[in-house]
Amino acid sequence: MTRLRRLFLAPSVTLTVLLFLTPLGILLVYTFLTRGAYGGMGAPWTLENWVRVADPLYLGILVRSVLAAAVSTLLCLVLGFPLALFISRAGRRKNLYLFLVVLPFWTSFLIRTYAWMFLLRDTGLINTLLISAGIVREPLPLLYNYGAVVLGLVYGYLPFMVLPLYAALERIDSNLLEASSDLGAHPWQTLKRVVLPLSAPGVRAGLILVFIPCLGAYLTPDLLGGGKTILIGTLIQNQFSTARDWPFGSAVSLALMAAVMVLLMVLARRHGDSLL
Amino acid sequence: MKIRGLGFYAVLAYFFLHAPIAVLLAFSFNSGRFTVWEGVSFRWYEAALRNSQLLEATLNSLIIAVAATALAATAGTLCAYALWKREARWLTSALTLSLVTPEIVMGISLLAFFQWVFRSFSVHLGMHTVVLAHVTFCLAYVVIVVLARLRTMDNSLEEAALDLGAGEWQAFYRVTLPALGPGIAAAALLAFTISFDDYVITSMVAGVDSETLPMVLYAIARRGANPVVNAISAMIVVALGLLVLVSERFRES
């Protein structure tokens, strides 16, 4: 097997090493360089970029990003759990309901984000309706704020929460639920004491699957936050475009990667889950 | 266990999931420019189809997505098969890491890499760099889907083939690969949609001649309301929807 195996692994190993690990390695080298006058970079070698990552200004952005991601993730859990429960108990129509959750995922993410711009902007549908109904006179500032970003993230990643939750709920033996009710538990008690604990693996998977992309999100804060709500993704992008500070941008990028990896390793080690 | 109101909640949740897109699509048929309904018209579709920049970008997106899907599906399937036979810890970890790497970080690291390579050879950013980037981020998705399929398969068939004198390549090519068909198709569909949809990474590594559809859409969307975006969105949603439906049918039969 060894020769064939080496042959089979060669393309993906080459791709992974050359186009994934090497680029990250280059960023790592960049973090120790000094920014030049015209956006270039070079000697002397320095740790200054890493020190700057810990600057209160940038730590603030990091904290705000973590908060936005955490709030969005929890909202996804709260909104997604009842839906997953509903689907897991839907009997023969399960597949249809599941398909309806996955369907938006097959729609372009960009279009889904644009749909909210279309609804929320000053001349958007919601404001137009509110004004013509005489409820408000001036358009409400619905777009380009923190709330709009969280809304966009929840909308974008809700399916990622529902799927693992559904998978976990689906696996629960219905005899356990019957036993609980036969022994006199109220449905809410069964939900809290039997269903919730048994769905823990799904909850954990859902939290990871939603939190990680939310933390590094760029498109949603950019389009729905409108540059006023700077999150870490926007900060990184700015360093490589307008600010032209590649060394610092690289340091922020790798700090973000490190945060994601630590999170993943802690959860994987505690529970032995793995994505692959 | 019967929980009241769950069905009602589900209706609301599905409304939340689908209404924004539905409204967006409905207004693609609006004859007015603003979000006030003025009557049915196809003028925004006409405007979209007459826009040569959009058509060119669509063609670019299709070429990139097809090329990236073919390459990622091939490399990913071979990789999944090898990993199914015997685990390779570091590769699995690297692929997992590529899945959780924020798009903006992957885009920027690829840009840094391409610039570094191109400094030595005089090549420029273009379709080829976009395809390479897309293969990179699609690979892990293909491996996951195909590996999941392999793990549900009975490997005694392949063992029987080997016992009956087939070589390793023959056993793979004539026994396991055909049975993997639906898994590979599902993986390819996933890779295609992810590639076709990508904006963040693409915008980093694209050159002047390789503007993709999401890049054009993004540029228009940032400038403000434009019903042409609604029309394009409607066409993309319908096209991707058909693709998914056809592949579902294909898988059932």
Side-chain angles (χ1 to χ4, degrees), chain A residues 1 4-5 8-9 11-13 15-20 22-24 26-27 30 78-79 82-83 85-87 89 97 99-101 103-112 114-119 121 123-125 128 151 155 158 187-188 190-191 195 212 216 218-219 222-223 233 236-237 240 246 253 256-257 260-261 264 275-276, chain B residues 1-3 6-7 9-10 13-14 16-18 20-21 23-24 27 35-36 75 78-79 81-82 85-88 90-92 94-98 100-102 104-106 108-113 115-116 132 135-136 139 144 168-169 172 189-190 193 197 199-200 204 214 217-218 221-222 224-226 229-230 233 236-237 240 244:
Chain A
M1 188 60 208
L4 196 65
R5 179 184 159 83
F8 275 22
L9 282 178
S12 13
V13 168
L15 270 171
T16 307
V17 171
L18 202 64
L19 289 168
F20 178 60
T22 310
L24 286 180
I26 292 175
L27 282 196
Y30 282 0
V78 171
L79 293 174
L83 186 58
L85 192 63
F86 169 79
I87 300 171
R89 304 169 59 75
Y97 291 141
F99 179 70
L100 283 176
V101 171
L103 192 60
F105 176 76
W106 293 107
T107 314
S108 150
F109 193 84
L110 189 62
I111 293 174
R112 282 188 287 154
Y114 178 75
W116 281 104
M117 294 178 77
F118 181 76
L119 291 174
R121 71 170 93 234
T123 57
L125 190 66
T128 311
L151 177 65
Y155 184 70
L158 188 59
W188 285 103
T190 308
L191 187 66
V195 177
I212 286 176
Y218 168 72
L219 206 59
D222 187 53
L223 287 177
I236 293 175
Q237 206 271 342
F240 289 94
W246 281 63
S253 302
L256 177 61
M257 282 288 286
V260 168
M261 277 166 72
L264 210 61
L275 286 175
L276 273 180
Chain B
M1 186 182 77
K2 177 126 184 74
I3 290 165
L6 205 56
Y9 174 81
Y14 283 118
F16 172 68
L17 280 175
H18 295 288
I21 301 283
V23 169
L24 185 73
F27 271 88
T35 34
V36 181
L78 296 178
C79 176
Y81 180 76
K85 289 273 163 179
R86 189 150 49 82
E87 183 65 26
W90 76 269
L91 187 60
T92 316
L95 287 172
T96 311
L97 191 61
S98 84
V100 298
T101 302
I104 187 92
V105 175
M106 192 181 264
I108 272 157
S109 68
L110 279 164
L111 175 62
F113 173 75
Q115 287 191 345
W116 180 69
L132 285 175
V135 176
T136 309
L139 183 67
I144 286 195
E168 279 168 349
W169 167 254
F172 166 73
L189 182 65
L190 185 63
T193 49
D197 185 33
Y199 166 75
V200 179
M204 296 283 166
L217 275 182
Y218 176 86
R222 282 218 78 170
N226 191 336
V229 177
N230 296 39
S233 303
I236 296 178
V237 168
L240 286 181
V244 173

Side-chain angles (χ1 to χ4, degrees), chain A:
Chain A
M1 188 60 208
T2 44
R3 256 205 15 231
L4 196 65
R5 179 184 159 83
R6 223 174 285 155
L7 204 66
F8 275 22
L9 282 178
S12 13
V13 168
T14 314
L15 270 171
T16 307
V17 171
L18 202 64
L19 289 168
F20 178 60
L21 297 177
T22 310
L24 286 180
I26 292 175
L27 282 196
L28 184 64
V29 174
Y30 282 0
T31 63
F32 298 110
L33 293 176
T34 308
R35 170 194 180 193
Y38 303 104
M41 58 204 142
W45 298 85
T46 170
L47 282 173
E48 198 214 339
N49 299 303
W50 286 103
V51 176
R52 257 179 85 200
V53 172
D55 184 291
L57 174 66
Y58 300 117
L59 270 188
I61 293 177
L62 183 67
V63 169
R64 204 166 355 146
S65 310
V66 171
L67 269 180
V71 169
S72 310
T73 310
L74 287 180
L75 276 172
C76 278
L77 179 62
V78 171
L79 293 174
F81 194 89
L83 186 58
L85 192 63
F86 169 79
I87 300 171
S88 74
R89 304 169 59 75
R92 276 194 310 155
R93 302 198 117 160
K94 240 176 231 182
N95 282 336
L96 173 68
Y97 291 141
L98 206 58
F99 179 70
L100 283 176
V101 171
V102 188
L103 192 60
F105 176 76
W106 293 107
T107 314
S108 150
F109 193 84
L110 189 62
I111 293 174
R112 282 188 287 154
T113 311
Y114 178 75
W116 281 104
M117 294 178 77
F118 181 76
L119 291 174
L120 297 177
R121 71 170 93 234
D122 283 358
T123 57
L125 190 66
I126 293 176
N127 271 320
T128 311
L129 288 178
L130 285 177
I131 290 172
S132 63
I135 298 170
V136 295
R137 230 180 286 152
E138 295 285 301
L140 298 174
L142 300 171
L143 194 59
Y144 304 134
N145 55 50
Y146 203 78
V149 175
V150 170
L151 177 65
L153 290 174
V154 169
Y155 184 70
Y157 294 111
L158 188 59
F160 284 20
M161 180 64 83
V162 175
L163 289 182
L165 283 179
Y166 164 78
L169 289 170
E170 172 71 15
R171 251 180 266 129
I172 296 176
D173 187 350
S174 60
N175 287 329
L176 291 173
L177 307 182
E178 265 172 48
S180 164
S181 110
D182 288 348
L183 292 169
H186 187 266
W188 285 103
Q189 274 178 308
T190 308
L191 187 66
K192 204 174 104 192
R193 313 257 307 253
V194 181
V195 177
L196 264 181
L198 285 174
S199 60
V203 173
R204 229 166 19 238
L207 291 179
I208 298 179
L209 285 180
V210 175
F211 185 80
I212 286 176
C214 282
L215 185 60
Y218 168 72
L219 206 59
T220 315
D222 187 53
L223 287 177
L224 302 181
K228 265 182 276 173
T229 318
I230 301 275
L231 296 185
I232 196 160
T234 323
L235 174 69
I236 293 175
Q237 206 271 342
N238 280 346
Q239 297 312 310
F240 289 94
S241 54
T242 36
R244 292 204 131 279
D245 192 343
W246 281 63
F248 181 58
S250 307
V252 179
S253 302
L254 291 184
L256 177 61
M257 282 288 286
V260 168
M261 277 166 72
V262 167
L263 193 79
L264 210 61
M265 276 195 306
V266 167
L267 283 162
R269 181 144 314 158
R270 283 250 313 267
H271 302 286
D273 313 338
S274 144
L275 286 175
L276 273 180

Side-chain angles (χ1 to χ4, degrees), chain B residues 73 76-81 84 140-153 180 183-188:
Chain B
T77 302
L78 296 178
C79 176
Y81 180 76
W84 178 56
Y141 288 98
V142 174
V143 175
I144 286 195
V145 174
V146 176
L147 199 56
R149 174 88 191 177
L150 278 166
R151 283 187 180 140
T152 64
M153 267 168 46
L180 262 184
I184 298 173

